[in-house]
Structure formats: C-alpha cells, structure tokens
Amino acid sequence: MAAASPTASSAVTPAARLRDSHGRVIHDLRVSITDRCNYRCVYCRTGEIGAQYPELGIDEYLRLIGLFVSLGIEKVRLTGGEPLLRRGLLELLRELAKMRTVAGEPLDLALTTNGHLLDGLAAPLKAAGLNRVTVSMDAVDAETFERITRVPRSFQQVVAGIRAARQAGLTPLKVNCVLLRGFNDNEIEGFARFAREEGVVVRFIEFMPLEEDRLWSPEIVVPLKEIVERVSRVMPLRPLPPNEASETARRYTFEDGVGEIGIIAPVTQAFCGACSRVRLTSDGKIRTCLFSQVEHDLYGRIRAGESDAEIRDYIVRTVHGKEARHHIGEPGFLKPSRSMVHIGG
Ligand code: SAM
C-alpha cells in the first residue's frame, strides 16, 4: 500500500505550520472515514437511509492525512458516520501510528464512536495504535436510549463497549451526551452518577443546528449554566482548569474530587476563538468549520494528479481562509449544506 511517509515532516519548516488569517494555529484534524451509521438517532437522522457520500480508499486517507501532518497536525480524530463500520480501520490506524509530527512525536490518535461494535473491537483498536475513544451515549436509561438510537438492545451493547474500552486502556474515556430539552434532559443527574460509577468523563453537549430534520430551536438547547446548576443540586461541582487552550469542554469535578464532568457549549459559550480544528469529510473535502457554507475539494486534486507540494499548498491556503466563528442564533444564520453525520462529528 502507498502509505504516507512516516517522516513526511522532515521536508517542512516550522514556518509552514497551518495557521488561519485570525492567528489560530491549526493542529487538530478530524477525519470522517464513512458517513454510514448503524444508528438512526432521532436528533441527528431522519430515519431514512438517505443519500450517502463516497468513501476514499484507506491509502488515499493516509496520503491526505500525511500531508496535513507534515504541515503541523498533531492530533487526528477518526469519526463518521460510524467509524467502526469502516473496513480497513485497523490497517489505517496501524499506518497512522507510524507517522510522526513535525516535532518528531507520535500522533495523538483518537476516535469517536457510538460504541455499538466497541466490545469486540476495543482491544484490536488499542493494539493497532489508537490512544483513546469518545463514546456517544445520550441516555443512561435503556428505554430512553433505545428510543433515541432506534436500535433495539443498543444500550447493553454500548455499556459493554465502554467497559471493554476502559479495560483495553483506551483512556481517558469520554462519554458524550447531546442534551435536548424535554427529551433527555431528565438524564442529567443520572449521568453524573454514571461518570463516577463507570470511571468515565461524561461530557454534555449543547444541541447544534446540524440535524437532517428541522428540529433545532434555541428553546430546545439546554445551556451550560443550567446543566451546572442541575448537577450541583444533587452533587456539588467545582471547576477544573482546562487541559489546553483549545479544549472544547469546560471541566468540573465533584466536591470529593472523584469523577469528571465536561460541558461543551458551542451555542451559549462559543469557543471559536480558540479553535484549532479542521475537518476532512469521507469524500475528501476540507471543511474549515462545522458551519462552513463552502467545502474545498481536496480529493479532486488527487484525482487530477497534483503533486504533494501542490496539495500542501492548497491545504495551507484553504486553512488560512478558515471562518472567524459560527453564527448560530444570529439573524440570517444558514445551516450548512451537510448534516453532522455527513460532515463527521
Ligand atoms: N457515530 C459516531 C458517534 O456516534 O459518536 C461519530 C459520528 S456522530 C455524528 C458524532 C457526535 O456528534 C455524536 O456524539 C453525536 O451525538 C453528535 N451530534 C450529532 N448531531 C449533533 C447536533 N445537532 N448537535 C450536537 N452534537 C451532535
């Protein structure tokens, strides 16, 4: 296979590191490796199979990711769709684990999954070089959970996946829950207990207008402030300092220091000023923001036979034009052309 060179970084000077025109250094790449998903979460999908975008070959993802890495990317998060559905995932990880950053370090390799297939895959993923996983889980009550995913017996499956991931050492293990008012916000307190009992970091996410249907409204978003108040009523919280400047979550621990809660508040406390991310879709388009109105066809450049140097130059120029921020909730806000499952969350 034509894997990207593990030493691709050697040709690049630090001055070539990816920066946007707002002074942000971009070191985090999210790569969707499929937009197929085995769940039909009601706040994300319509319930119909719908259109799907093409997937690149594993060697094509490797070439593109290698070029990003040679420009300063240090973290790669694989996502989808559901990335565990993608054939060739372990091979992709094994090759990514051989790459080195501009500073000569191994990449920080993470993956976001719904956890449905994680029970059987956690140990092989770890052995292939994955460092950690984030599991999406929107309820700690089995019935509510399965009403959301629209897949019977999915709850037990995901809990088994979470436990297998912890056992395999895919840690720190984060469990992400998107909150929707009147729908699963009665799970907040249960999740606080779950974080302590299962030894995972539970992160609540404010619902963003990225769904296939038209469900989003400001009223349905459960804001950070309310989440903190509600958890604190049952188990007092104390803030923790951020691990790094570009961290998306506000971190809290409980009074006794056991367990951690994070809150990702893109709607009420946007963190665009510290954004360090760009995305690559499963069909090889760069998205410089979740809410971009335009996509940049990187794969088209491969198909046209461009050289690595030409593609690198295109990446640098594209990232330079990254949007300053999103405009959720402002007059004239436009939803992006793709929903979350097709962009890669
Ligand atoms: N299938 C994988 C999973 O379930 O984690 C990866 C893809 S999924 C689209 C990534 C994350 O996006 C999930 O945690 C999901 O809950 C979240 N998500 C989907 N739609 C969202 C929305 N409108 N607002 C906020 N988060 C959303």
Side-chain angles (χ1 to χ4, degrees):
M1 162 187 305
S5 157
T7 54
S9 57
S10 56
V12 175
T13 62
R17 296 186 77 159
L18 290 173
R19 272 172 207 279
D20 70 14
S21 64
H22 309 284
R24 295 170 297 194
V25 176
I26 305 302
H27 52 75
D28 182 352
L29 177 68
R30 306 215 169 174
V31 184
S32 171
I33 53 174
T34 179
D35 66 342
R36 288 173 288 130
C37 190
N38 42 358
Y39 282 3
R40 294 265 167 284
C41 297
V42 289
Y43 64 87
C44 184
R45 320 292 307 275
T46 59
E48 306 298 321
I49 294 288
Q52 278 166 355
Y53 290 86
E55 292 168 8
L56 305 193
I58 295 297
D59 52 345
E60 291 169 325
Y61 288 124
L62 280 168
R63 177 171 175 210
L64 293 180
I65 296 170
L67 291 171
F68 272 98
V69 170
S70 73
L71 291 166
I73 290 294
E74 294 164 350
K75 282 194 207 171
V76 174
R77 176 174 293 277
L78 301 179
T79 182
E82 174 46 43
L84 300 190
L85 293 177
R86 179 59 204 254
R87 187 179 289 215
L89 169 62
L90 294 176
E91 181 191 354
L92 174 62
L93 279 167
R94 279 193 286 270
E95 293 301 324
L96 291 177
K98 293 180 197 163
M99 287 188 193
R100 292 293 174 266
T101 65
V102 172
E105 300 291 328
L107 290 175
D108 181 7
L109 291 176
L111 178 139
T112 301
T113 172
N114 61 29
H116 195 78
L117 299 172
L118 198 52
D119 188 13
L121 276 172
L125 286 167
K126 178 72 184 176
L130 186 66
N131 300 121
R132 54 209 164 81
V133 285
T134 298
V135 179
S136 306
M137 184 181 178
D138 300 311
V140 285
D141 167 66
E143 214 173 290
T144 311
F145 185 79
E146 285 158 24
R147 225 177 16 244
I148 295 173
T149 61
R150 298 189 261 207
V151 172
R153 291 178 293 287
S154 48
F155 182 75
Q156 296 312 329
Q157 193 87 15
V158 173
V159 171
I162 288 172
R163 292 179 181 159
R166 210 184 45 202
Q167 200 160 6
L170 291 168
T171 51
L173 206 153
K174 293 176 185 160
V175 171
N176 280 359
C177 165
V178 178
L179 285 174
L180 282 77
R181 189 178 304 288
F183 195 72
N184 65 347
D185 60 325
N186 58 346
E187 298 278 318
I188 292 178
E189 296 80 2
F191 264 112
R193 278 188 290 276
F194 185 83
R196 290 162 68 87
E197 286 165 12
E198 295 289 333
V200 297
V201 179
V202 167
R203 303 192 310 174
F204 296 110
I205 305 179
E206 290 178 348
F207 182 45
M208 293 179 279
L210 285 166
E211 72 286 20
E212 284 181 341
D213 278 335
R214 302 272 147 178
L215 185 69
W216 192 89
S217 73
E219 294 72 37
I220 210 169
V221 176
V222 187
L224 176 140
K225 195 165 167 286
E226 179 181 334
I227 301 170
V228 173
E229 279 167 11
R230 287 181 57 176
V231 177
S232 297
R233 249 179 261 149
V234 281
M235 283 179 242
L237 287 176
R238 127 172 104 72
L240 287 171
N243 284 319
E244 53 183 301
S246 60
E247 188 159 61
T248 49
R250 304 282 185 101
R251 302 167 62 227
Y252 300 85
T253 186
F254 300 99
E255 263 186 344
D256 61 5
V258 178
E260 185 178 323
I261 292 280
I263 304 176
I264 302 177
V267 180
T268 67
Q269 315 257 335
F271 39 81
C272 305
C275 184
S276 59
R277 280 168 292 283
V278 291
R279 289 176 157 80
L280 189 61
T281 62
S282 58
D283 58 335
K285 307 274 186 349
I286 303 176
R287 291 187 68 95
T288 47
C289 172
L290 262 180
F291 294 93
S292 292
Q293 293 297 322
V294 282
E295 298 181 330
H296 307 272
D297 187 9
L298 196 56
Y299 183 54
R301 309 233 153 204
I302 290 195
R303 265 198 327 260
E306 287 197 1
S307 67
D308 283 0
E310 286 169 316
I311 295 178
R312 267 201 203 102
D313 187 52
Y314 180 71
I315 295 173
V316 169
R317 279 186 283 118
T318 301
V319 170
H320 191 257
K322 180 174 163 68
E323 297 80 343
R325 62 186 184 91
H326 69 63
H327 297 275
I328 300 174
E330 295 175 17
F333 167 81
L334 287 175
K335 268 174 76 164
S337 54
R338 296 193 195 205
S339 59
M340 190 69 139
V341 69
H342 299 297
I343 295 173

